[in-house]
Amino acid sequence: MKRMIVNFIVLFMLFYLLGAVIDIIVNLDEFDKFAAKMSEDSGVLTRIYTIIRIIIGFEGPRLFQVFAYLHGVIAVGAMAFTAASMSKSREFVAIMAVGVSLRRVALPYLLVMAGISGVALLNQDYMLPRVAPLLLRDRAQLGDRSVGSFPVPFTPDQQGALLFAPSLDPETGILSEPSILLRDEKGRMIKQIRATSAIWNSETNDGWFLIDGLSVDISYDEETSQAAIMAPVAIDYYATELSPHILTIHRFGQYIGMLGMSQLNSMLEVAGAFDAPMLRRHLYSRFASITLNLLAMVIVIPFFVTRETINFSRQAILCGVTAMTILFGGTVLMLMPMEGIPAIVSVFLPSIVLLPVALIRIVSIRT
């Protein structure tokens, strides 16, 4: 277990640093241009220090994203290195010589995988939501504390109303100059609500507090279809399910994978017109991925844990292809909508299919 944990840490850092270094080399000019703006009249050392600080600020939060997405594959790699080392040093021979089954060797690997998956669950629920605004930034927003404000196009809610605003700040959750258009069954606007800004109600998660809000009613003469506009009325609250999180998901699809379970739960309570089954799939997949990781580990362990002499290069290729197919393919299937199948069943479907395969693989270990 100690060897596998050390191998996991080494492999994880290599994966992360390799990706970060490639990204830095490809985009070094942009980092340098931004550093030049921040330190125009400074010396060379200050310029270099500024570049390093910008790079760390941009690449640092990606550590948690890499861990969330690749921990399963890297754990399989750590197992492969550990088992290959034990096989080369004939430790499996010694274990079998005292009458211990090699199937017991699989247990420590599974315990480490379960521990890593548990840490990944905590990372997904506590760390990733905190750094999500930083991960959504592009290189034009280097040095910013979060992704910049973005315009909100016409977005319908469960009442059929359309919400739009010139900008939404995802870090503070403040809408600038929002407008809300309520419509009748014919699609005609029957009310317009405007405000200088709006703040999301984070306590009840069911609407926006409107600053200087005004509501204008519009009535129609059914015979002439002429509209009559009423006098504006003050309004200070609008109930809707369109939270800053949902609006950010509309803008950045990958943002939903960075939300914690409590955030997904609060969105599900008022999901309305938004894709509630998708939210449930992402919520349940946090637990289904642990099962998928463990089954993938069970399936690939026999590639290395065996009494037979093996070709390590060949087994490494088979192990890598099998593990990546199971983990990446299973993740895609977990999040894929399946008509007629409840979300809680569909996310565990890959694990249900792999369970008999895992049992056959663990029983087939030559020991």
Side-chain angles (χ1 to χ4, degrees), residues 168-242:
L168 166 66
D169 187 337
E171 185 178 21
T172 60
I174 295 178
L175 277 173
S176 298
E177 300 180 3
S179 291
I180 303 159
L181 310 181
L182 281 74
R183 300 173 295 171
D184 61 12
E185 63 279 359
K186 296 182 179 180
R188 298 176 300 185
M189 183 173 66
I190 56 175
K191 179 182 288 189
Q192 181 184 22
I193 300 173
R194 292 178 296 174
T196 55
S197 62
I199 303 172
W200 180 251
N201 185 354
S202 57
E203 293 185 4
T204 59
N205 287 309
D206 64 353
W208 294 89
F209 291 110
L210 304 176
I211 310 301
D212 298 329
L214 292 174
S215 173
V216 178
D217 288 324
I218 303 173
S219 62
Y220 294 90
D221 187 321
E222 296 300 330
E223 295 182 0
T224 63
S225 297
Q226 290 183 341
I229 301 175
M230 306 302 174
V233 178
I235 183 172
D236 58 6
Y237 195 79
Y238 177 71
T240 180
E241 82 283 3
L242 294 179

Side-chain angles (χ1 to χ4, degrees), residues 131-142:
V131 300
L134 296 172
L135 294 172
L136 294 176
R137 296 174 302 170
D138 56 29
R139 286 165 191 83
Q141 298 166 331
L142 290 171

Side-chain angles (χ1 to χ4, degrees), residues 79-90 92 303-306 308-320:
M79 178 280 300
F81 278 104
T82 306
S85 174
M86 293 178 70
S87 181
K88 284 183 178 179
S89 59
R90 301 293 187 268
F92 292 155
F303 284 121
F304 293 95
V305 180
T306 177
E308 298 173 343
T309 303
I310 58 174
N311 183 318
F312 291 107
S313 299
R314 178 177 174 274
Q315 298 300 91
I317 294 173
L318 290 174
C319 175

Side-chain angles (χ1 to χ4, degrees), residues 19 30 50 122 129 157 160 172 191 232 278 287 312 331 353:
E30 295 187 38
T50 304
L122 295 175
D157 65 7
T172 60
K191 179 182 288 189
M278 181 183 69
F287 302 98
F312 291 107
T331 301
V353 173

